[in-house]
Amino acid sequence: MKSAQTYQVFHRKQLDKIPQVRSLSAEVREAINVVSAVLPFRVNNYVVDELIDWSRAPDDPIFQLTFPQRGMLDEQDYERMRALIASGAEEKAVKALAQEIQVGLNPHPGGQLEKNVPSLAGEAMRGMQHKYRQTLLFFPAQGQTCHTYCTYCFRWAQFVGIEDLKFFEKEAAPLLRYLKKHPEVSDVLFTGGDPLVMRTAILSRYIDLLLNSDLDSLRTIRIGSKAPAYWPQRFVTDPDADDLLRLFERVVASGRHLALMAHYSHPAELETDIAKEALRRIVATGATVRCQAPLIRHVNDRADDWAKLWQMQVENGAVPYYMFVERDTGAHHYFELPLARAYEIFSDAYSQVSGLARTVRGPSMSANPGKMCIDGVADIAGRKVFVLKCLQGRKPRWSNQVALAEYDTKAVWLDDLKPAFGEKNFFWDRPEEEILHDAASQRHQIWAAEA
Ligand SMILES: *Cc1c(COP(=O)(O)O)cnc(C)c1O
């Protein structure tokens, strides 16, 4: 096997250190430099040397996935930033303009800040999000970067240094306190960033505390990560790779489920020997790998790529889980696809794989009322409609409900859709369903009342 590599990472200021970048055209290099002044950029040597097909750049999907592209900023913002940099402006001026552009890019979509941050004894739990009853998201402070940043990342605001936009928690104790008060939570999902940028010794401080506390209500530990795609060495050759696998085994030995929620965007990420070896080693611990990714124009907007991706996941012992719709944040205008197109791609790919890969659900939007899937397109009484299905509801009773929306070839997000047949509202925005704003405590009361 190639690549028992040492980890090397490149930022904006180190572009010249990447030989493959030096051979790109001047326009493409300028675009990387200008756009990465505004949106996060970071790439590691494995992605550069083994995943990107440089003979196909800039069209190569992994290049589009990891290197900033000119179309990610609108013409005017691009030109302002280009001119400022060309004038030799100081870093401070570049940062100021970058921030001005960033706040115009909807840094926190889906009401994450106002609606999902829970509180305990009146104190906001900054490193957590609790939207769906069973599952708590936890953002460990040391896991808030990634091995490589995805160009379309919906958490990009975390990485650009706008301090008050950051979610994180340094300690494990508040997590334990919260879980003890919330026995309805069966799943904790460690997320970021990427929790697997943390060394095993640090990650295990959080996880072992949960395992060693008498917390029967916690049944599943999930880790959301792109390490299997961007740095499979994490599970194979890193100095603490074996320690990480032992940690997975401890979770399994505690009688709990360990779900590695792996982010694979494209079949190229599963083609290297080390990527397959990483999956083999993870699955051998008794963990389950479930796979999810958004559908992204320029990266994975072909049904055949999804069919191949899901098939490869199954072959390597992983489970296809979600196809998401690109969120309405950051450079979404460059990456988004109409919902009607997303549904076609999903259906085409779905029809190419056997039932074992049809555990996948989508295309799903993580929108304000919940995870809303385009579950079908139907003709009813002479009208073409989208059949929407709520996979996860902000209110539990919304889950598994369906709604009909007028078919629309331009709509890219839930907010663009209108209820079909002249209805005024969807079930989640009827006046009596008004979403409560002071999330956690009130939501808990709702859950308690519904239970
Ligand atoms: C997707 C998501 C989850 C997990 O949902 P599952 O359907 O159980 O995988 C939890 N919290 C938030 C905020 C989410 O967006």
Side-chain angles (χ1 to χ4, degrees):
M1 191 184 316
K2 206 179 151 191
S3 77
Q5 290 161 325
T6 34
Y7 185 68
Q8 220 186 328
V9 68
F10 306 98
H11 301 274
R12 177 164 179 255
K13 298 284 181 200
Q14 297 143 348
L15 276 169
D16 304 342
K17 300 215 170 101
I18 308 176
Q20 295 94 329
V21 166
R22 289 201 298 267
S23 62
L24 295 170
S25 72
E27 292 106 284
V28 174
R29 272 182 291 136
E30 178 196 90
I32 299 170
N33 188 39
V34 171
V35 177
S36 65
V38 180
L39 292 164
F41 168 62
R42 167 195 200 118
V43 68
N44 72 32
N45 49 327
Y46 171 73
V47 173
V48 167
D49 293 335
E50 295 188 45
L51 295 189
I52 295 174
D53 177 354
W54 290 92
S55 70
R56 294 175 60 200
D59 297 332
D60 178 67
I62 308 295
F63 180 78
Q64 293 277 332
L65 172 66
T66 55
F67 279 79
Q69 307 294 321
R70 176 169 187 149
M72 289 169 59
L73 292 182
D74 74 30
E75 238 352 276
Q76 216 185 337
D77 288 340
Y78 185 90
E79 184 45 35
R80 281 172 78 199
M81 184 54 92
R82 191 203 57 74
L84 186 68
I85 292 171
S87 76
E90 282 179 26
E91 201 50 33
K92 222 171 116 189
V94 171
K95 280 227 162 84
L97 177 58
Q99 286 210 4
E100 192 189 316
I101 298 172
Q102 285 156 6
V103 295
L105 298 175
N106 188 24
H108 281 287
Q112 292 179 71
L113 262 194
E114 323 80 72
K115 300 207 184 80
N116 298 351
V117 175
S119 55
L120 192 63
E123 186 200 337
M125 304 267 100
R126 292 285 306 178
M128 302 178 203
Q129 287 189 31
H130 193 185
K131 181 172 181 178
Y132 306 126
R133 177 156 52 180
Q134 297 87 353
T135 304
L136 179 73
L137 307 193
F138 182 69
F139 297 74
Q142 305 89 337
Q144 298 313 309
T145 58
C146 296
H147 290 103
T148 287
Y149 291 143
C150 300
T151 39
Y152 58 72
C153 180
F154 76 100
R155 297 245 170 88
W156 63 274
Q158 290 203 164
F159 308 128
V160 295
I162 308 178
E163 208 58 39
D164 66 340
L165 291 180
K166 278 190 176 173
F167 291 109
F168 60 80
E169 174 58 61
K170 288 199 287 294
E171 310 291 336
L175 173 61
L176 185 58
R177 274 207 316 268
Y178 189 83
L179 291 173
K180 289 208 156 151
K181 279 260 168 5
H182 289 271
E184 76 277 15
V185 175
S186 58
D187 295 30
V188 168
L189 169 50
F190 287 85
T191 183
D194 190 330
L196 294 182
V197 300
M198 289 192 276
R199 300 284 31 122
T200 305
I202 297 176
L203 178 62
S204 69
R205 258 187 248 154
Y206 293 98
I207 292 183
D208 281 320
L209 181 71
L210 300 180
L211 298 183
N212 298 330
S213 317
D214 161 37
L215 196 64
D216 280 350
S217 50
L218 180 67
R219 303 315 312 155
T220 292
I221 292 180
R222 305 196 203 182
I223 300 173
S225 178
K226 201 162 165 85
Y230 279 170
W231 190 246
Q233 290 82 346
R234 184 71 192 86
F235 311 93
V236 184
T237 53
D238 271 9
D240 60 348
D242 288 348
D243 296 338
L244 181 65
L245 301 177
R246 298 297 87 76
L247 174 63
F248 290 1
E249 285 169 359
R250 286 201 293 285
V251 175
V252 174
S254 80
R256 294 184 175 85
H257 180 51
L258 179 66
L260 187 66
M261 310 303 293
H263 178 178
Y264 288 106
S265 311
H266 191 277
E269 295 167 334
L270 267 166
E271 266 159 12
T272 65
D273 290 342
I274 195 161
K276 291 180 187 149
E277 175 67 4
L279 272 181
R280 200 192 58 72
R281 300 188 100 215
I282 296 163
V283 170
T285 67
T288 298
V289 180
R290 293 178 207 272
C291 307
Q292 53 190 29
L295 171 63
I296 303 290
R297 190 151 55 95
H298 308 292
V299 173
N300 58 16
D301 52 347
R302 295 175 24 169
D304 292 358
D305 286 340
W306 282 93
K308 185 170 177 195
L309 179 64
W310 294 335
Q311 179 57 33
M312 291 178 87
Q313 288 164 356
V314 170
E315 283 164 26
N316 288 282
V319 182
Y321 188 60
Y322 276 132
M323 176 204 270
F324 293 119
V325 176
E326 159 71 1
R327 287 211 206 192
D328 52 345
T329 181
H332 65 101
H333 57 91
Y334 182 75
F335 295 115
E336 72 197 3
L337 286 154
L339 295 171
R341 184 74 197 119
Y343 175 73
E344 284 168 10
I345 292 171
F346 181 90
S347 303
D348 182 351
Y350 193 83
S351 67
Q352 294 182 42
V353 292
S354 92
L356 295 184
R358 293 188 190 176
T359 48
V360 67
R361 290 159 305 154
S364 171
M365 291 167 268
S366 289
N368 198 0
K371 281 189 166 61
M372 306 297 303
C373 168
I374 305 286
D375 211 27
V377 171
D379 274 303
I380 299 178
R383 292 194 77 110
K384 202 168 182 186
V385 297
F386 284 123
V387 181
L388 303 177
K389 180 167 181 177
C390 179
L391 301 174
Q392 281 287 2
R394 185 180 283 283
K395 293 188 182 177
R397 78 187 121 89
W398 292 347
S399 294
N400 214 32
Q401 285 201 44
V402 295
L404 301 179
E406 277 177 31
Y407 185 78
D408 181 335
T409 54
K410 295 212 177 69
V412 295
W413 195 251
L414 192 63
D415 303 350
D416 303 331
L417 297 178
K418 287 196 201 60
F421 300 106
E423 287 289 320
K424 275 212 179 59
N425 299 108
F426 290 113
F427 63 78
W428 60 87
D429 57 20
R430 289 186 191 125
E432 67 271 23
E433 293 282 12
E434 192 191 309
I435 291 168
L436 298 168
H437 281 260
D438 175 23
S441 61
Q442 297 181 42
R443 203 163 53 245
H444 187 60
Q445 285 165 20
I446 297 165
W447 293 340
E450 285 182 348

